[in-house]
Amino acid sequence: FEEPTVRVTEEGKPVEFRYRLLKPLAVEPGHMVPLVLFLHGAGERGADNELQLKYLPTWLAEEGNRRKHPSFVVVPQCRAGHHWVDFNRSDLTSMPHKAEPTVDLAAAVAALDAVMQSEPVDPGRVYLTGISMGGYGSWDLAARMPERFAAMIPICGGGDAATAPRLRSIPILCFHGDADQIVPVAHSRAMVAAVKAAGGAVEYRELEGVKHDSWTPAYRDPATLDWLFRQKR
């Protein structure tokens, strides 16, 4: 993984964010390849630019996946004490969408933009996924920029059901464990129901007996990545 940096503004001052970038093993001249933007969970926050490589980024870096699914993988890191999106896990009915993204989510978008401007990324195959806190971030970011993503896999997160009409154009595959003791499964159920009611294309996999770590069975099922990389705008 390379270690580029981007800068965003916070309260009028520039703030530097490091992120990780995995490049394909090779790109043929004139060809473009997909990009995956991964938003990590709360346990991987910090400033070491390393913790966020747990789970999906590490698995996508395995040789088998790099050969089967060549792609750019963008892995920003949210700062300690901050969030991709401000939310209240205890509220089971409403999670109002803020007018502006958090600074850390804006940094993730800046990293995405930087890679798309400098690398041969297929703009019709840009994918968004995240776990837990990053699941909330995925719902939030997709609602802000639905035209940017060819597909989304939000895992054990939630969002503002009022934004569901904005998500109608994005194929969504959502996972949540029905025994999740950290993030209420009601949050995913509410978003899935709202997107379906709005006419969106969403598939929901509620994993029986699975607690908070629903991302391991989700991502480690080869069918999940196969589904993701089939999607095109």
Side-chain angles (χ1 to χ4, degrees), residues 117-163:
Q117 291 166 10
S118 62
E119 303 291 348
V121 175
D122 183 347
R125 298 183 69 195
V126 176
Y127 308 125
L128 173 62
T129 186
I131 62 174
S132 193
M133 184 184 80
Y136 288 94
S138 296
W139 285 111
D140 183 83
L141 181 55
R144 294 180 188 282
M145 301 178 171
E147 73 285 352
R148 296 290 299 270
F149 302 107
M152 173 175 67
I153 301 179
I155 300 180
C156 58
D160 182 356
T163 65

Side-chain angles (χ1 to χ4, degrees), residues 3-233:
E3 300 187 49
T5 61
V6 290
R7 287 185 178 180
V8 296
T9 301
E10 182 175 38
E11 297 180 348
K13 298 179 181 179
V15 181
E16 186 173 271
F17 282 80
R18 294 187 298 160
Y19 65 98
R20 290 298 191 108
L21 172 63
L22 180 69
K23 294 183 176 181
L25 292 171
V27 180
E28 296 181 20
H31 284 229
M32 295 187 295
V33 297
L35 180 149
V36 178
L37 175 60
F38 174 71
L39 301 181
H40 64 77
E44 292 76 64
R45 289 177 293 183
D48 65 349
N49 202 25
E50 184 174 348
L51 274 173
Q52 79 272 30
L53 296 179
K54 292 175 67 176
Y55 310 122
L56 183 63
T58 294
W59 299 332
L60 285 174
E62 294 172 351
E63 184 174 354
N65 276 328
R66 295 187 79 183
R67 295 190 181 282
K68 185 178 183 182
H69 301 298
S71 59
F72 293 95
V73 184
V74 179
V75 196
Q77 185 175 35
C78 183
R79 296 170 294 177
H82 292 255
H83 299 86
W84 298 125
V85 57
D86 293 323
F87 62 90
N88 180 0
R89 279 201 305 258
S90 64
D91 189 339
L92 302 184
T93 58
S94 177
M95 210 169 298
H97 194 72
K98 301 294 179 64
E100 298 295 332
T102 63
V103 172
D104 293 74
L105 190 62
V109 174
L112 171 63
D113 290 341
V115 176
M116 292 193 68
Q117 291 166 10
S118 62
E119 303 291 348
V121 175
D122 183 347
R125 298 183 69 195
V126 176
Y127 308 125
L128 173 62
T129 186
I131 62 174
S132 193
M133 184 184 80
Y136 288 94
S138 296
W139 285 111
D140 183 83
L141 181 55
R144 294 180 188 282
M145 301 178 171
E147 73 285 352
R148 296 290 299 270
F149 302 107
M152 173 175 67
I153 301 179
I155 300 180
C156 58
D160 182 356
T163 65
R166 306 180 200 174
L167 302 168
R168 284 180 296 194
S169 64
I170 305 176
I172 300 170
L173 178 58
C174 178
F175 292 87
H176 211 128
D178 70 357
D180 194 324
Q181 75 282 25
I182 303 297
V183 175
V185 68
H187 286 184
S188 283
R189 291 173 180 169
M191 288 304 298
V192 168
V195 174
K196 286 183 176 180
V202 56
E203 298 180 42
Y204 180 46
R205 311 281 169 77
E206 193 165 294
L207 306 179
E208 185 177 357
V210 173
K211 295 184 179 180
H212 191 47
D213 180 10
S214 48
W215 53 86
T216 296
Y219 289 138
R220 294 310 263 173
D221 181 348
T224 300
L225 293 182
D226 289 346
W227 176 90
L228 183 66
F229 284 94
R230 281 199 305 269
Q231 309 307 314
K232 298 179 181 180
R233 286 195 63 81

